[in-house]
Amino acid sequence: MTSGLRDPDKPAGFVVEVDPETGVATRNDGTLLQPAEKNPWYLMMSIAGVPEGDEGPDELNELEELNRRYWNGWVCSRMSQAERTELAEHIGLSIDELAPLTPEEKAVVAARFQQFADPEDTKLAEVAAAFREIDGQDADGPEPWAGIDLSEIHFSQARIWSMWVFTGYATFASATFSEGVNFSSAYFSGTAWFHSATFAGIALFLSTTFDSESWFNSATFNQSAFFDNAVMKGDAHFISVNFKNEAMFYFTTFAGEANFTDANFFDDAVYLSASFTCNASFTYATFNSRVFFESATFARDAFFTVATFNSTVSFSSVTFIGAARFVSAVFATHPKFITTWFRTVADFSDASFGRSVTFREASFETEYPVLDGVAPPERMEVVAGDRTTEREVPDGPDKGEVLRVPSWPAIPDDPEKLKAAQKSAAALRHAMGRQGLPEEEHFFFRKEMGFEARIGGVWRRLPYVLFREVSFFGYSVERPAALLILTILVPWALVAWLCAAWPALAVPEAGPVTWGGELALSVANTFSFFGFQRLYFDVELLQARAWVFQVMGAAQTVLGFVFLFFLGLGLRTRFRMR
């Protein structure tokens, strides 16, 4: 949307003008931003001063440490010693840095606020007044747990708030950071509001802890955004966020729900080894560059419904403990799901793949992938075999346990799941057939027929059951060969025994019954379509045999034809003859 923007080529939060007298900044969308220097919270965050541009590295570090000490000392002033000790260990500071402000430090704070002109906003004026009297008896300034408000502020300089503590809520809503900002190892105990904020420079949230909800809805990151190793214990909201540059979430922990619905990623999006404990939604998200979710873990449902992947995307080694839903997702190139572990539902209904997709060494533990409405790509790589792989459970009650996971699930008992599995196997068979992969195609054909053998009533299932038992759906050579041998041997032994026990059953004109002669006749009966009976035996004598022998011979002929057909089918399939 560019309507209402003063410069359509720049984002809405970009500062297009700063009033030289008042310092009020005008955003590209017309929103007016107050200068940070006129906000009492910002003054408290810069008691020791702000960089002027000519400081060396040591001076900058000293200035940053002093400002952090004043801020953390005030914020943690009402914590117990045990709480401060635990927090200091968590963010990597000494306990002394979180100790309450000394009288001397309070005097410095009060002196700074004596020179501060109260803002027109009543609440902010009360904040300034409380800090102005912080050096009074039994005075500690404003209540730290009440929260801070830095919304609609223009931060014209780069700011470092690394290892800072924010109790209560902290709102930077609609603020614009014209330079970089560093919240690395910061600690937010209350809700953190960054919705509609604009980060014009690099944004660092490395190892940041959000104890409660974090809101980045409609925020814009014009440069790289780093959330590596961050811990988001509450719900993380990134709805309609715009990442103009790379978005890095290496080893990020999302302990609450992660909502990236309608998010736009214009550069690389990296979620390597990220952990999603609750539901994660990337519905309608658009990824315009490379995407890496490798080794990530989704403990609950993951939604990529109608997501668009316009470049390389990798879900390799990802564990989906909950449902993985890629309904109507669009993959423009070559998505990779190598060694991916789908523990429950893998729904790719109506998804669109580019020229290829790979599920090499992937495991579908309990359900077959849903492929309804999917047009097979030119190349689809899947595991065509019943293998098991040792996998370590990354999350949940069985965390750390090593399981032997099959590539494909066992035949389900639920009728609806049976039908869904049959449709999935049929789709995979079709995809393999299009690629000219007979071995893989027949593997999924066997799966499909196996499901058919369990769907419906007895008479519907019977042909499929017989097909399975006789030839393993046209794949086995051993079964029909063994049945052919039994078709020859069982009647041979039975006829020889009956003639020996009841000589009246024999034909006198044929002479005495011999084991060898009956074996030859049994072979001829089994393969009668080759003409062995007429060639080597007297037809009239055969017709004179007892009716039970004639019925047995007819049965041998029928079974011999059937078993020989399946033997040929198995040989054709086994040696991939067309």
Side-chain angles (χ1 to χ4, degrees), residues 282 285-289 291 293 304 306-313 315 326 329-333 335:
F282 291 84
T286 301
F287 300 87
N288 291 298
S289 189
V291 185
F293 278 91
F304 291 87
V306 203
T308 300
F309 301 89
N310 289 321
S311 187
T312 302
V313 54
F315 285 91
F326 291 86
V330 177
F331 298 91
T333 58

Side-chain angles (χ1 to χ4, degrees), residues 398-470:
D398 299 329
K399 183 177 181 180
E401 185 177 351
V402 177
L403 305 177
R404 292 197 63 83
V405 182
S407 298
W408 301 100
I411 297 177
D413 295 324
D414 183 80
E416 293 303 318
K417 289 186 176 181
L418 263 175
K419 293 178 181 178
Q422 184 271 334
K423 290 176 64 177
S424 176
L428 290 167
R429 172 182 59 79
H430 178 57
M432 299 301 104
R434 285 192 59 188
Q435 298 174 74
L437 302 172
E439 186 71 21
E440 290 79 357
E441 180 184 7
H442 202 277
F443 172 77
F444 291 108
F445 172 75
R446 297 195 299 274
K447 291 291 184 184
E448 180 185 1
M449 293 296 100
F451 299 136
E452 291 283 10
R454 291 175 176 263
I455 297 174
V458 174
W459 294 109
R460 184 192 181 281
R461 299 197 311 265
L462 183 59
Y464 297 101
V465 172
L466 292 176
F467 189 18
R468 179 188 64 202
E469 298 304 320
V470 170

Side-chain angles (χ1 to χ4, degrees), residues 15 23-27 29-39 121 124 149-155 171-177 193-198:
V15 173
V24 174
T26 303
R27 296 197 335 175
D29 61 0
T31 302
L32 299 181
L33 303 177
Q34 295 299 316
E37 292 75 17
K38 292 186 178 181
N39 186 291
D121 185 284
L124 292 181
D149 187 353
L150 287 155
S151 58
E152 297 187 359
I153 293 294
H154 177 218
F155 297 93
T171 177
F172 295 85
S174 299
T176 293
F177 299 85
W193 298 86
F194 288 91
H195 60 80
S196 300
T198 299

Side-chain angles (χ1 to χ4, degrees), residues 106-107 109-111 113-114 126-142:
K106 288 184 177 181
V109 173
F113 275 90
Q114 293 295 336
E126 292 175 354
V127 170
F131 277 124
R132 194 174 291 124
E133 299 172 359
I134 195 173
D135 60 342
Q137 187 174 5
D138 298 326
D140 290 311

